[in-house]
Amino acid sequence: MASVTVTSPTSSTSVQAGGTLNITWTASIDDTSESIVGFLIQLFNGNSLDTTILNTNNGNLRSYNYSVPSNKTADTDYRVKITMTVEEFE
Amino acid sequence: MPFQFTVSDFSDYFTITSPPQTVANTISQSISTSESLTRSVRTYFNSRNVSQTLTLSQSLSHSIDTYRQARTINQSFSTSETLNRSVRQFFNDFTINQSFSLSQSLSHSFDTWKHTVSMNMPLNTSTSTPSHTITTYRQDRTISQGLSTSQSLTSQVDTFKFISTPNHSLNTSETLSKTVEDWFHTRNTSDTANITDSFNAQISIDNDTYFYDNYNSTGMTKLVGSITGGNFTSDSSKVENVSSLNDSSVDTSTTFKSTFSKACIVYDLSTAQPVDFIAIYVKEILSDPIQVFSSNSQGTGYSLVTQISGSSNNWNITPFTSQNIRYLAFQMNQTGADTLINELYFGKSFKPEVRYSVGSSTSMDSNNIINTSYKGNEYSHTTQETETKFVNTYSNISNALKLQFEDLSNKSNNKKLIYNKQGIHYLLPQPITFTEVALNRYSTEIVLVT
């Protein structure tokens, strides 16, 4: 069963606008029948999509440094969503 | 046929904070102060404006680091304050064409009485004689300035007069009755000193010289062989582990093989460069000295420059008259046992044009950490050997000297560096940084550890 888990940022993460946010995640698949096609990383403020950080076809990527724009509104309700696309062979 | 699907996950909620705010400094700002200070401050007035007038009527009753620090043009001072506490600097002025008229009475210790860095500034002093310890009595870095002094000092000072001017004449008749570290400190061209004073106390001036690998010996081409009759013959088997000689580690050594009567290493400096010292580190005292040859041709014309004795399990510095050298050779004449040398470097020693400032410090870092038990008892653990740490502060140096320090920093950071003070050797553990204190003038701190 394929799954992806965001390991950073966490609830204790605080980053300054203009600074760098380190995003890390783990991914697991069934190696015999599945392969990772890519990842979509998005920034949410509350339940609203704020911006798309990265859309990549690199299935080996497990971390990404996001440069937070200096004009980004300060808030405590930001979340990162990572969507992994998996290809399954019959 | 393969098909695709997606899975996703959200992170925890996290925080993005605002960037720090910046505040712009303005020009043509006027300051009018009438505060009364009752606590210590580091700087009372710090003004870096153009055409600013200061009017003061404050009364100070506590210690401050700097009473006035003015870096202005055409600024006038009118002062009538009374100070009754310690200050580090009473006046610190970096102005042009500024005149002083002082009538203060000082009754407590301070670090610098007058620190003037100006051009064509007359000094006219009728101040009552300081009656307590001061570090620097006068520190002047001016051009064409005349000093006429008739003060009598009865307490210790670190530097009585510190002048760094061209064509400056000194005529002194003071009597000193206490220890000073540096009585006259002149670094001028064509400077005349006419001294008739009576001394009855000790003075000392430190030997302030840096030795470092300023030609990058690690990257030089090195040849192994022997020199006989001034001629070099190549034979790579005569010396083993050549790279260990310049690997910035005293734990590895280069071996000059005893199976040969002579064994040498030749360094190619690429072009003729001035060399005036050689430093070696040995763990085993050398039974015979190392012969040092130089030549401007790789194969011929080698002549003896000096001989080095590795007389202690430590750094051994051999200074000699500066020579322009292209090929520099180190040869051992073997007497039965292999010779091990742990490190070797050479170059042009660097003696700054100015002495480090007052306020430079020496300290011992025990490298202790403190742990606390469940019952509240504290336990100290020494994590490394105790280090002696020197912080040499240069408060006002030229751009040329800054470039020399930068060269030292670039080539010696975390590498071998010998600083010749009291026969102790030091390393530079971190890069040297600079702060511009005036146009093309800089301050810096050189941190050295054993």
Side-chain angles (χ1 to χ4, degrees), chain A residues 6 15 17 78 80 84 86 88, chain B residues 3 5 7 9 11 14 16-17:
Chain A
V6 183
V15 61
Y78 284 102
V80 167
M84 176 173 71
V86 180
E88 181 171 329
Chain B
F3 68 93
F5 64 95
V7 292
D9 184 42
S11 72
F14 66 95
I16 294 179
T17 61

Side-chain angles (χ1 to χ4, degrees), chain B residues 50-221:
Chain B
V50 179
S51 303
Q52 185 175 38
T53 302
L54 298 180
T55 301
L56 310 176
S57 59
Q58 295 80 0
S59 171
L60 292 176
S61 58
H62 284 71
S63 299
I64 57 174
D65 204 39
T66 300
Y67 180 56
R68 292 184 184 184
Q69 185 179 54
R71 299 162 192 266
T72 66
I73 301 174
N74 300 320
Q75 186 174 40
S76 63
F77 282 79
S78 176
T79 61
S80 59
E81 295 83 357
T82 297
L83 292 178
N84 58 7
R85 290 292 185 278
S86 300
V87 294
R88 182 177 166 83
Q89 290 187 100
F90 182 55
F91 276 111
N92 185 332
D93 300 298
F94 292 80
T95 67
I96 300 173
N97 299 321
Q98 186 174 39
S99 64
F100 283 79
S101 178
L102 310 177
S103 60
Q104 295 81 359
S105 172
L106 295 175
S107 59
H108 283 72
S109 301
F110 50 99
D111 216 29
T112 301
W113 188 50
K114 291 184 182 179
H115 183 128
T116 55
V117 189
S118 63
M119 286 188 283
N120 301 316
M121 177 153 54
L123 294 181
N124 193 347
T125 59
S126 59
T127 326
S128 65
T129 302
S131 57
H132 286 71
T133 301
I134 58 176
T135 301
T136 301
Y137 182 55
R138 291 186 185 182
Q139 187 178 51
D140 302 297
R141 298 163 191 271
T142 67
I143 300 173
S144 303
Q145 185 174 38
L147 296 181
S148 177
T149 59
S150 59
Q151 293 84 356
S152 172
L153 291 177
T154 58
S155 292
Q156 178 176 323
V157 295
D158 208 36
T159 301
F160 181 57
K161 291 185 183 179
F162 185 117
I163 52 176
S164 304
T165 67
N167 302 316
H168 196 42
S169 64
L170 297 181
N171 197 339
T172 60
S173 59
E174 294 84 358
T175 297
L176 293 177
S177 59
K178 291 288 187 292
T179 301
V180 295
E181 184 176 333
D182 202 352
W183 190 53
F184 276 112
H185 187 119
T186 57
R187 299 172 186 278
N188 305 318
T189 306
S190 307
D191 194 24
T192 303
N194 193 351
I195 302 169
T196 59
D197 317 77
S198 169
F199 267 122
N200 56 9
Q202 174 185 347
I203 64 172
S204 67
I205 299 174
D206 289 319
N207 192 358
D208 191 17
T209 306
Y210 299 85
F211 301 93
Y212 68 103
D213 184 16
N214 45 354
Y215 299 135
N216 184 21
S217 57
T218 305
M220 289 180 190
T221 299

